[in-house]
Every structure is written in C-alpha cells, then in structure tokens.
C-alpha cells in the first residue's frame, strides 16, 4: 500500500466522514492498531467480514464490495500519550456512488469511537 499511492484520494484523519461523493478508492489515517480496526470492523458488519489475507478484509453488501487493506504506520506521540497509527485503503467495486456512500456511512457510524 505504501509504495502504490497513485490515484488515492487523501481523507482527513480528523473526521471519519467524507463530505461529498465517495470515490472508488481512497486512504484514511486512523488512530488504532490493526487488531483494533479488525475487531471494530467485525462488530460494525455482523453480516460477515471475509479475511482475504493478513491485513486485507472484504465486506459485501449486495453487488457492492469493499476491500480494506490495513498497514501499520507507527505511533503518534502527543506529550505522554502514544497513539498507534494505521493507514487503511478503501477500494470499492461493483457499486455506484450512492451504494458506496450508503455502505461507508453505515460502517463509519458503527465504527465511531467515543472520546472524552
């Protein structure tokens, strides 16, 4: 994933939501470990998450398929806090923009984390 960044649309790590059309392929920076992301993804999509390969997951909703590839990106330090970082590449296939938006909105809402 790190070597092939051509065509990816960066998405702000400050907000999990995309405003506007959902592209077929984009990448997000997320504060989580790969294991935390996988756990949250499986909770968010109880209909089933397929493991294609280590760090590569697939979610399907009708004809819409979403492949997610997770890569560790080290740790972000904020004072005494250390936050693990991952890059997640989202690749849709078999879905129009409306289907992509609906699937992504469902996942984003289900995977939101609270803060305090």
């Amino acid at each position: 994933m790190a070597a092939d960044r051509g065509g990816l649309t960066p998405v702000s790590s400050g907000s999990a939501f995309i405003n506007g059309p959902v592209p077929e392929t984009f990448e997000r920076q997320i504060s989580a470990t790969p294991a935390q992301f996988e756990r949250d993804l499986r909770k968010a999509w109880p209909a089933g998450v397929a493991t294609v390969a280590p760090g590569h997951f697939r979610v399907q909703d009708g004809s819409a398929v979403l492949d997610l590839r997770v890569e560790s990106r080290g740790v972000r330090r904020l004072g005494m806090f250390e936050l693990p970082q991952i890059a997640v590449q989202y690749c849709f296939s078999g879905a129009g923009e409306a289907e992509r938006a609906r699937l992504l909105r469902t996942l984003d809402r289900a995977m939101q984390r609270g803060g305090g």
Side-chain angles (χ1 to χ4, degrees):
M1 181 168 40
D4 181 19
R5 292 187 168 254
L8 296 183
T9 302
V11 177
S12 169
S13 60
S15 172
F17 297 99
I18 292 179
N19 296 319
V22 176
E24 288 183 12
T25 302
F26 61 93
E27 184 176 283
R28 289 179 169 166
Q29 303 297 314
I30 299 173
S31 291
T33 65
Q36 288 169 332
F37 181 84
E38 180 180 359
R39 181 197 65 223
D40 291 346
L41 178 63
R42 290 184 187 284
K43 284 183 182 177
W45 202 259
V49 174
T51 301
V52 178
H56 180 182
F57 307 100
R58 181 169 291 146
V59 171
Q60 188 164 357
D61 185 31
S63 63
V65 176
L66 173 58
D67 281 294
L68 300 131
R69 290 178 177 86
V70 180
E71 181 180 289
S72 292
R73 291 286 174 90
V75 175
R76 177 179 290 164
R77 288 177 175 67
L78 300 170
M80 300 281 294
F81 293 106
E82 292 185 348
L83 301 171
Q85 299 295 300
I86 57 174
V88 181
Q89 182 182 22
Y90 291 69
C91 293
F92 286 94
S93 60
E97 200 284 322
E99 293 170 295
R100 293 191 304 266
R102 182 180 45 74
L103 178 54
L104 186 62
R105 187 173 41 252
T106 300
L107 282 176
D108 280 347
R109 285 189 180 135
M111 292 180 74
Q112 267 185 312
R113 293 196 207 170

